[in-house]
Amino acid sequence: MPSSSLAAPLDVELRPDKPALLRVDPPGDPAAWAAEHREALRAQVTEHGALLVRGLGLRDADQAGAVFARLAGRLMAEREAFAPRQPHGPGLYSSTPWPANQPMCMHHELSYLLEVPRLLLFACLTPPGQGGATGVADAEQVLKDLPAEPAERFEREGWLLTRTYNEEIGASLEESFGTDDPAAIEQYCRANEIRFTWQPDGSLHTEQRRAAVVRHPVTGRRCWFNQIAFLNEWTLAPEVREYLVDEYGADGLPFNTRYGDGSPIGEDVVQLLNSTYEKHTRREPWQAGDLMLVDNIRSAHSRETYAGEREVLVGMADPGRLADGGRAGEASGR
């Protein structure tokens, strides 16, 4: 199998429709192994967008956290989460809770932040009995494959994320902002270019406009980088969308996405985005102890439906503000 010129000592397998794979003999100390090979592994991620490391034998959260720390340094604390995760240590989380019978479509993690994680780390402690793969898709190729319309419109206008926080669906104010103090939340929103409105019932509605296409901070190549399809109402299962619209109204959904000018995105556009992602998706079933590194700018990721128990831990690292990532202008309250 071909291997990378950037990290010749690592014999990386490149296979059609699957992420780059590195098989290793189980090391006595996975964290020490990760520290020794850090630069070579990071080079592979830059070259291929994602790398699956098989053979480390990661068994628990402490071991996974130690490996993550050797590869990435300090892990990010999650902010503006759309669903609560279970913490397993500083910056170490469970995967997003999502019904096992519903897929999570392609997205770039926290792409609606001003300071985004540029590296994602996944550790599979318990693989599912069936399905549940974490797919990856090359954001450069997705952008090239999208029709000029709507890609040019999104590149011109950006995309708008709208959220309405409630006590029933998604993350609470404290889980998203680290506090439920209105003054502190308003301060955060202003500092992060988020427009906010307190509703008569005391709930919070927010809007933030971000770029849909960015340049990779290392390669300079243009990447389709957003969560337009993932957080849009048309990606939800029909019965879930119908319930949420009936319960909260079309303008009060827990989260939704729009064109940058605020216009609604049609179901056909969301289907086009998801089908384009699917054409470029690479998958490999999880095995116990696997490690996956994902360049969050270069690669979108997803999660298949699955059966059985599934425990995958997640870390986010290398936070940075992309030069062309913010499009909102100065935030204000209304």
Side-chain angles (χ1 to χ4, degrees):
M1 290 290 180
S3 62
S4 166
S5 59
L6 289 178
L10 300 181
D11 187 16
V12 172
E13 301 176 19
L14 304 180
R15 306 157 301 162
D17 303 324
K18 294 182 179 293
L21 175 67
L22 173 65
R23 301 179 191 271
V24 301
D25 294 328
D29 184 344
W33 181 92
E36 179 184 353
H37 294 88
R38 179 184 186 277
E39 296 306 318
L41 292 168
R42 295 290 297 263
Q44 292 285 353
V45 177
T46 297
E47 183 168 357
H48 302 300
L51 177 67
L52 180 64
V53 182
R54 176 157 290 163
L56 288 183
L58 301 179
R59 297 185 301 273
D60 54 41
D62 288 344
Q63 201 172 55
V67 169
F68 287 7
R70 298 304 192 281
L71 293 173
R74 183 177 62 86
L75 299 176
M76 291 176 59
E78 187 174 33
R79 284 288 182 267
E80 299 182 50
F82 73 89
R85 300 178 190 261
Q86 179 182 351
H88 288 269
L92 185 65
Y93 298 96
S94 66
S95 52
T96 301
W98 198 263
N101 64 349
Q102 296 180 26
M104 295 179 69
C105 77
M106 283 290 174
H107 61 286
H108 296 264
E109 197 70 30
L110 299 179
S111 58
Y112 47 82
L113 298 186
L114 283 187
E115 193 168 80
V116 303
R118 291 178 288 191
L119 177 68
L120 305 180
L121 306 98
F122 299 89
C124 179
L125 304 185
T126 305
Q130 182 178 355
T134 297
V136 292
D138 189 312
E140 294 178 27
Q141 297 303 317
V142 169
L143 177 59
K144 291 176 181 178
D145 202 26
L146 284 172
E149 180 60 39
E152 290 179 358
R153 180 175 180 180
F154 279 120
E155 185 164 13
R156 183 173 65 251
E157 297 180 5
W159 63 291
L160 188 73
L161 171 64
T162 65
R163 299 185 66 169
T164 301
Y165 293 83
N166 61 61
E167 298 301 320
E168 298 177 342
I169 305 292
S172 67
L173 290 176
E174 185 167 4
E175 288 164 338
S176 283
F177 296 102
T179 178
D180 58 6
D181 176 57
I185 292 171
E186 291 179 11
Q187 182 180 22
Y188 178 94
C189 289
R190 290 191 178 98
N192 289 275
E193 300 182 10
I194 301 171
R195 296 181 64 86
F196 60 89
T197 306
W198 294 103
Q199 309 285 20
D201 64 359
S203 63
L204 177 67
H205 178 80
T206 63
E207 298 179 357
Q208 54 212 92
R209 191 165 73 242
R210 300 292 185 253
V213 177
V214 302
R215 289 196 178 275
H216 193 282
V218 175
T219 67
R221 296 170 184 160
R222 295 164 64 247
C223 295
W224 179 252
F225 178 74
N226 54 71
Q227 282 165 260
I228 293 169
F230 178 54
L231 294 176
N232 188 273
E233 60 182 302
W234 294 114
T235 295
L236 295 169
E239 64 276 10
V240 175
R241 177 184 177 275
E242 183 178 351
Y243 166 78
L244 292 176
V245 171
D246 288 345
E247 187 74 13
Y248 301 106
D251 294 327
L253 296 176
F255 46 83
N256 201 2
T257 60
R258 293 175 173 268
Y259 287 105
D261 68 356
S263 302
I265 301 172
E267 182 179 8
D268 59 330
V269 173
V270 175
Q271 290 177 346
L272 170 65
L273 298 180
N274 284 329
S275 64
T276 304
Y277 276 131
E278 181 59 30
K279 287 171 59 178
H280 296 278
T281 295
R282 295 168 287 157
R283 298 180 178 89
E284 171 69 22
W286 283 114
Q287 293 184 14
D290 280 352
L291 168 73
M292 180 181 274
L293 306 174
V294 176
D295 180 329
N296 191 39
I297 314 301
R298 168 80 179 275
S299 295
H301 68 281
S302 63
R303 192 221 69 193
E304 291 182 332
T305 61
Y306 67 92
E309 295 297 319
R310 180 184 188 271
E311 186 178 12
V312 175
L313 301 186
V314 181
M316 294 164 275
D318 290 1
R321 181 164 180 167
L322 303 177
D324 42 7
R327 290 284 183 89
E330 186 177 356
S332 63
R334 298 196 300 275

